[in-house]
Amino acid sequence: MARGRVSRLSVRDVRFPTSLGGHGSDAMHTDPDYSAAYVVIETDAEDGLKGYGITFTLGKGTEVDWSRERRGASGDGGRSQCGVGPVGQAGGKEEHMLTGGYPAYTTSCAWLGYSDDTLKQAGPGLNRRTHVFHRFKVKVGADVQDDVRRCRLIRDMIGPEKTLMMDANQRWDVPEAVEWMSKLAEFKPLWIEEPTSPDDILGHAAISKALVPLGIGVATGEQCHNRVIFKQLLQANALQFLQIDSCRLGSVNENLSVLLMAKKFGIPVCPHAGGVGLCELVQHLIIFDYISVSASLDNRMCEYVDHLHEHFKYPVRIQEASYMPPMDAGYSTEMKEESVKKHQYPDGEVWKKLLAAQKN
């Protein structure tokens, strides 16, 4: 294969107005526009190959990553990474992936900005997806009484046998997290995700210990940017579910080191995948984890949200609430050029109309 030097680097600020429908809203981010600094790298090898990378953001701040990557500094995920590639055809675990896939759960059922009517109808998709999805996550953390009401509504809709998780997006301090979850324990959540600051290792450990009698685990990791933080979380018994993020951790190699540590400590990996392209990227990591590291699906699942996949050239495939293996080589990062042009900020067609309407 011809090798060459980088001859061209383009970085574009791509933003999707998800805040208009409340998609992606949580206790810390009430009106996010799911966005990305989108990088394309070309070389002088003249082989037609390009490298694609994204740094996922919530809209505000994308220009910072855009500026960093234009200067050659990497953001949280602005790296062009190679994928695991298509899964092989031989072996028991590979065959299971090809036929059954990797278990997924949905977060699209309960963004915090959704009204009750949206929860009951199109937003959560519970009425049309309950026969498929068996695992659901609800955003909590803004108001405890409203959380109780919303969790009761969702639990009644999905029934007692389905799995429910909760996500506070770092909203609480340690005592508040324990008190809050004691009031939500009646809804039998499998875990509380990001109950406090992602950097507070000992805080997570204290929450984890306090919630044991309630049967509630702690899940965290989507904001952890290196393997050292994960090492400390594991050593401190601070989590029962480990959540890597394919953009936050620097490179595939860093992700693989965390998968190996999780295997050593016997902690299931349940990746975060809620943003632009995150489902597309992380599918490679979960399949590699199952086939080459953990060899287990016990207590393992990967997050899935059902928006923005239409903007990717190789979108993730979900069948019967499971990620199906990608059959194309690469890391599934390439976006459709038409989508990039329409959603480029602030000059794309979508944003020209929205910004003009805001001025009026």
Side-chain angles (χ1 to χ4, degrees), residues 34-65:
Y34 274 24
S35 308
Y38 181 58
V39 183
V40 181
I41 294 177
E42 299 177 54
T43 75
D44 59 6
E46 298 183 354
D47 54 11
L49 297 178
K50 298 180 181 179
Y52 302 88
I54 58 174
T55 296
F56 167 57
T57 78
L58 299 179
K60 303 177 182 70
T62 310
E63 64 276 7
V64 176
D65 280 320

Side-chain angles (χ1 to χ4, degrees), residues 312-339:
F312 284 82
K313 189 172 181 179
Y314 305 103
V316 68
R317 295 183 301 128
I318 297 290
Q319 294 180 14
E320 297 300 320
S322 294
Y323 278 85
M324 302 308 296
M327 302 309 292
D328 298 288
Y331 211 42
S332 309
T333 318
E334 184 178 357
M335 300 179 73
K336 295 178 180 178
E337 181 61 24
E338 180 182 359
S339 290

Side-chain angles (χ1 to χ4, degrees), residues 165-291:
M165 290 83 72
M166 299 179 183
D167 186 356
N169 289 95
Q170 317 159 37
R171 185 61 183 264
W172 306 317
D173 59 27
V174 173
E176 187 179 21
V178 176
E179 180 183 4
W180 206 295
M181 288 310 299
S182 68
K183 296 177 181 178
L184 299 179
E186 65 175 288
F187 305 109
K188 304 297 181 183
L190 176 65
W191 74 52
I192 176 61
E193 183 174 328
E194 286 199 312
T196 193
S197 168
D199 301 320
D200 190 353
I201 309 298
L202 298 182
H204 276 87
I207 295 169
S208 177
K209 183 178 180 179
L211 295 183
V212 168
L214 299 177
I216 302 172
V218 168
T220 195
E222 69 177 82
Q223 299 292 337
C224 296
H225 56 278
N226 63 50
R227 62 188 183 274
V228 177
I229 300 296
F230 280 108
K231 180 193 73 170
Q232 294 173 345
L233 286 165
L234 290 164
Q235 289 176 325
N237 296 317
L239 77 173
Q240 286 71 50
F241 302 91
L242 187 149
Q243 297 178 306
I244 57 172
D245 182 289
S246 56
C247 272
R248 181 72 60 178
L249 278 168
S251 85
V252 170
N253 286 344
E254 194 81 356
N255 274 286
L256 299 187
S257 66
V258 175
L259 296 180
L260 292 171
M261 285 192 293
K263 168 68 173 179
K264 177 180 178 179
F265 281 87
I267 297 297
V269 176
C270 301
H272 170 253
V276 177
L278 297 190
C279 294
E280 277 69 26
L281 272 62
V282 82
Q283 63 180 331
H284 299 274
L285 299 175
I286 57 176
I287 293 172
F288 177 86
D289 182 35
Y290 173 64
I291 293 174

Side-chain angles (χ1 to χ4, degrees), residues 12 121 256 278 299:
R12 296 152 88 179
Q121 298 171 16
L256 299 187
L278 297 190
N299 282 326

Side-chain angles (χ1 to χ4, degrees), residues 64-84:
V64 176
D65 280 320
W66 183 89
S67 176
R68 282 171 55 85
E69 295 178 27
R70 288 276 295 202
R71 297 196 309 270
S74 59
D76 288 332
R79 294 170 171 82
S80 298
Q81 302 172 334
C82 62
V84 175

Side-chain angles (χ1 to χ4, degrees), residues 292-306:
S292 301
V293 182
S294 69
S296 172
L297 294 178
D298 292 343
N299 282 326
R300 296 170 188 272
M301 64 192 90
C302 185
E303 184 173 25
Y304 174 74
V305 296
D306 64 355

